Amino acid sequence: DTRLKAIETKGAADPLVEEKVNKALADAMEKVKALQGDIAELKRAPRPTDPGGDGDAVKHARQMAIITKSEGGSLKSNGFHVVDETKRGDGFVAYDRELKTYLRYGEDVAETKALAVAGDPKVGYFVQPIRSDRIITKIRDTSPMRQYAGSVSITGPSIEFPVDRGDADCGWVGEKSSRPETDIDELGETKILVHELYAKPKATQNLLDDAGVDIEAWLDGKVSDKFTRVENAAFVNGNGVKQPRGFMTLPKAATKDATRAYGTLQYVATGNAGAFATTAPADVLIDAVMALHSSYRQGATWAMNRATLSSVMKLKDGQGNYLMVPMFRDNRLMFTALGYPIAEFEDMADIASGSFSIAFANFSSGYLIVDRQGIRQLRDPYSSKPYVEFYTTKRVGGDVIESDAIKLIKFAAS
């Protein structure tokens, strides 16, 4: 370490330090060579295989036989002893058995023991598993509403929009005809409130200090991911009470834009309860596209979950050809129907009798997400000792601002 520090600071090692390092390395190598010589000599040493010989092991056996005889054993002519197991301990009997095996086969059972990770816990503790700093997390379903809807950030608790749903009167007149006053409808108003979403996980300070991964960053990621999934679900199915109102919870009618009330979504039916029509099943997709005003079609997107998308992909023409062909764009598999992209909204309903399982919409014009300051976190190490609380909040709202920009497909006869 001293040598390396000198190189880092001065650009070269100190000569005295260099000499000490080299001498230490040379001494170490000499010791290694000596140990290797001892090991080789031990391997070459003969093992006694004749119980009647005069090897050290046999002498030791005879000495043990004498000791055993004096303590209650019996001595045989060949120098072995027979232990009276009623008078000897288990450890002595085991030693006697291992000594006989050594003399008979030359195997040093008493000195050589197999070590294994699983077989001997006292040794297995030395084998530590490698722990990665990567945490494997489950990928969960969500609806990418923020990717398609409009959004705005505000500094207050709500945002209001004037709504112009009426029309102005006019008329043809001659050159000298009178020109009476014409009527014009009054403006309406819609209001979107922001609602609070919170989480308060906690962890001990010791865990935060000693964990091999960044626990705070992991908790932040978990909470942020949960916030995203919960708010996306609300943008689709939220009831508007202490949460955003989802576009699927609005009233629905089969009437067209000119006669339908503001805030009511139009739907087209498949003609078959819980399924596509038996004949010309894809015609309902065309009906949904044409129900959307031409000004909204540019930027429009299909929305459905994976199960519904699977059913749409299986639609065929009269010759058995698939009507929808996946395509690659930017090295990604893209799905389109009638030339419009398909977004997987996992919070939408599966196909069932009377279900609204497909939407065709220009979400950037039809739905608005309202954010208030984004995610805020308070790190509190005082309120719940010895725990540290991570109080995280987010204020967000959302609602439909143009019901004509969203069309639905209903799996029903009408």
Side-chain angles (χ1 to χ4, degrees), residues 249-287:
T249 62
L250 268 67
K252 305 167 185 69
T255 52
K256 298 181 180 180
D257 293 348
T259 57
R260 193 179 66 260
Y262 175 73
T264 300
L265 302 184
Q266 180 185 357
Y267 72 84
V268 292
T270 61
N272 190 9
F276 287 98
T278 305
T279 58
D283 284 1
V284 69
L285 301 179
I286 299 175
D287 293 340

Side-chain angles (χ1 to χ4, degrees), residues 278-358:
T278 305
T279 58
D283 284 1
V284 69
L285 301 179
I286 299 175
D287 293 340
V289 170
M290 299 314 297
L292 190 66
H293 195 280
S294 59
S295 61
Y296 294 132
R297 286 184 213 145
Q298 186 173 358
T301 303
W302 296 100
M304 63 192 80
N305 65 26
R306 288 201 307 271
T308 305
L309 175 58
S310 176
S311 299
V312 172
M313 293 181 65
K314 295 173 184 177
L315 295 177
K316 299 178 182 179
D317 60 18
Q319 288 72 41
N321 300 315
Y322 288 104
L323 296 177
M324 189 178 68
V325 179
M327 59 181 294
F328 281 92
R329 181 180 299 171
D330 298 330
N331 295 324
R332 293 192 306 163
L333 184 63
M334 305 289 293
F335 299 100
T336 61
L338 302 178
Y340 295 95
I342 299 176
E344 295 182 33
F345 277 49
E346 295 303 326
D347 295 296
M348 294 192 66
D350 292 337
I351 295 176
S353 180
S355 66
F356 297 90
S357 302
I358 299 177

Side-chain angles (χ1 to χ4, degrees), residues 71-190:
E71 295 181 1
S74 61
L75 182 63
K76 287 189 175 182
S77 59
N78 62 359
F80 289 137
H81 61 86
V82 178
V83 178
D84 184 352
E85 295 188 3
T86 62
K87 300 180 179 180
R88 314 308 305 155
D90 292 339
F92 204 98
V93 173
Y95 178 82
D96 178 66
R97 182 173 58 253
E98 292 168 358
L99 180 61
K100 290 179 181 178
T101 303
Y102 176 85
L103 294 173
R104 186 175 294 117
Y105 302 110
E107 297 177 1
D108 193 353
V109 180
E111 296 179 3
T112 304
K113 292 186 177 181
L115 304 181
V117 173
D120 190 346
K122 294 180 181 178
V123 178
Y125 294 144
F126 291 112
V127 182
Q128 297 296 327
I130 302 301
R131 186 170 300 278
S132 173
D133 58 358
R134 174 192 174 190
I135 300 176
I136 300 174
T137 57
K138 178 179 176 62
I139 297 178
R140 304 180 186 274
D141 293 333
T142 187
S143 300
M145 192 63 175
R146 283 188 176 274
Q147 183 177 343
Y148 298 96
S151 63
V152 62
S153 296
I154 62 175
T155 57
S158 65
I159 185 172
E160 298 179 356
F161 293 92
V163 177
D164 180 12
R165 299 293 295 178
D167 202 358
D169 287 341
C170 65
W172 298 99
V173 295
E175 180 182 1
K176 297 182 179 180
S177 300
S178 62
R179 289 163 172 78
E181 181 181 345
T182 58
D183 293 332
I184 186 169
D185 293 336
E186 294 181 356
L187 295 176
E189 186 179 70
T190 185

Side-chain angles (χ1 to χ4, degrees), residues 1-9 12-14 17-18 20-21:
D1 290 340
T2 305
R3 178 177 179 272
L4 292 175
K5 186 175 181 180
I7 293 175
E8 292 176 356
T9 56
D14 187 287
V17 174
E18 191 77 17
K20 291 181 180 180
V21 171

